[in-house]
Amino acid sequence: MLLGFVLYNQVFAREDIGELRAAFLLHFRDGNLYWLMIAILLMPLNWAFETLKWNTLVRNFEHLSFFRAYRGILSGITFSLFTPNRVGEYGGRILIVKPENNWKGVIATLVGSFCQMLVLLSTGFVGLLFFAGKFLDIDALMLQGIMFLGILLVGVLLFCFYNIDLIIPIVKRLPFVHRLKRFVKHIVMLRNYTSRELTTALFYGGIRYLIYSLQYYLILRFFGIEVPLLMGFASIATIFLLQTSIPLPPIIGLLTRGQIALFVWEHYTNQQSDILAATFGLFLLNLIIPAILGLFIIVSTNVLQSLFGNEK
């Protein structure tokens, strides 16, 4: 019911829904449908690579089939719509693992999120440099400073990623750690991750990022926004970087995302309704549709048993 209410308010009750619908119908008739069809076909592939990434990190403590893990990913998308930076994914995914592995599932998801953030930041800083250098009036020295800070940040995060077990003694020294005994008990599993597993997860995260960016580019082309391929990907990387810096739930942050998209794409076109329609289309395709599928999975799952049954 909550998902239905939010979907109605964010999709059907939007003030600009008429403009978005008109933009869609206009370009649908223009024969641009093949761009949209390719983007749609990439949607399950996008989440398939997220599944492969998560399954790589879960394999240490539980063997899940690909399709069972895929169900967990879709369930996580449903929960994530209502939480900042999509932290609700954790709650959805642990419905799929055994109850005694719930905390381990949370830790594996945290590692996967760290992995995806690494990909996003490294590509985002590069994209921002290209976008800012071409369109923004920024001093060359400042651009060099951004590049230096970006390289430094990504380098530090990469070191932390490949030495992720170093977090264990840090967590154990936290003053409130006694309240998280179950979490601390399972965090030692970080020592089990090998460099090969972490690199594999990083690879899957990179492929997923590429697919998601390509979907965005294809939807832009469907709406008649013609952008050079390389600058298009640089601009998309800039948008993703800026979006990630705003900790809002996807379902609430859509307006903010629209404003960021307008800021970036208005350097290429003045078709504001098409820019917003493309942004909304990407949101609908990669979050709303999978969230609806995830809702059916959640409904068919014994949630209480999944969360608390047989926990040790």
Side-chain angles (χ1 to χ4, degrees), residues 16-293:
D16 58 352
I17 190 65
E19 295 180 21
L20 300 183
R21 181 175 177 273
F24 174 80
L25 292 176
L26 173 64
H27 294 289
F28 186 86
R29 297 191 189 102
D30 282 348
N32 290 338
L33 187 60
Y34 58 92
W35 296 110
L36 182 62
M37 292 304 298
I38 298 172
I40 292 172
L41 291 174
L42 287 173
M43 185 265 285
L45 192 61
N46 171 28
W47 293 113
F49 275 98
E50 176 63 20
T51 301
L52 290 171
K53 182 183 73 176
W54 189 58
N55 220 352
T56 299
L57 299 170
V58 168
R59 200 176 296 144
N60 266 316
F61 55 88
E62 186 166 344
H63 290 281
L64 299 174
S65 69
F66 173 82
F67 291 106
R68 183 169 175 80
Y70 203 117
R71 290 177 61 200
I73 298 300
L74 293 178
S75 301
I77 297 169
T78 306
F79 281 104
S80 74
L81 288 179
F82 312 100
T83 54
N85 281 351
R86 298 176 57 187
V87 295
E89 284 185 352
Y90 308 123
R93 295 186 186 189
I94 63 174
L95 296 178
I96 302 303
V97 301
K98 296 175 182 176
E100 60 267 31
N101 289 330
N102 283 348
W103 277 112
K104 292 179 181 178
V106 170
I107 294 167
T109 305
L110 280 168
V111 175
S113 297
F114 189 8
C115 168
Q116 202 65 47
M117 182 180 67
L118 264 173
V119 175
L120 189 146
L121 287 176
S122 55
T123 54
F125 277 115
V126 173
L128 180 61
L129 285 173
F130 277 95
F131 178 80
K134 184 173 179 63
F135 294 112
L136 303 182
D137 186 18
I138 297 180
D139 183 74
L141 189 61
M142 183 174 291
L143 279 177
Q144 292 174 7
I146 293 173
M147 181 174 68
F148 173 76
L149 289 175
I151 293 173
L152 181 63
L153 177 61
V154 171
V156 169
L157 291 177
L158 268 173
F159 174 81
C160 294
F161 182 68
Y162 280 103
N163 296 274
I164 204 162
D165 58 312
L166 294 178
I167 198 174
I168 298 173
I170 296 174
V171 170
K172 288 184 176 180
R173 289 190 178 93
L174 294 176
F176 53 84
V177 73
H178 63 281
R179 301 179 184 176
L180 300 171
K181 287 182 179 179
R182 291 179 179 176
F183 178 75
V184 174
K185 181 177 70 174
H186 295 295
I187 202 173
V188 293
M189 64 168 277
L190 291 175
R191 294 196 181 107
N192 298 331
Y193 286 128
T194 64
S195 295
R196 182 176 180 179
E197 288 172 327
L198 293 173
T199 301
T200 301
L202 201 59
F203 171 76
Y204 288 143
I207 296 296
R208 190 198 156 206
Y209 181 91
L210 180 62
I211 292 171
Y212 194 73
S213 299
L214 180 58
Q215 284 181 295
Y216 199 170
Y217 183 80
L218 292 170
I219 292 174
L220 288 170
R221 293 301 303 266
F222 169 76
F223 282 103
I225 302 172
E226 297 188 6
V227 182
L229 184 64
L230 291 180
M231 279 308 301
F233 273 79
S235 300
I236 289 168
T238 301
I239 290 173
F240 291 164
L241 179 66
L242 295 176
Q243 286 178 353
T244 305
S245 65
I246 303 172
L248 292 173
I251 202 75
I252 296 174
L254 185 57
L255 178 62
T256 304
R257 285 168 167 76
Q259 294 304 313
I260 293 173
L262 285 173
F263 166 72
V264 171
W265 298 122
E266 280 183 343
H267 290 88
Y268 300 96
T269 178
N270 59 2
Q271 304 165 234
Q272 288 197 3
S273 59
D274 290 330
I275 294 171
L276 292 175
T279 303
F280 180 70
L282 186 71
F283 172 79
L284 188 69
L285 177 62
N286 275 322
L287 286 178
I288 296 298
I289 294 175
I292 293 172
L293 297 175

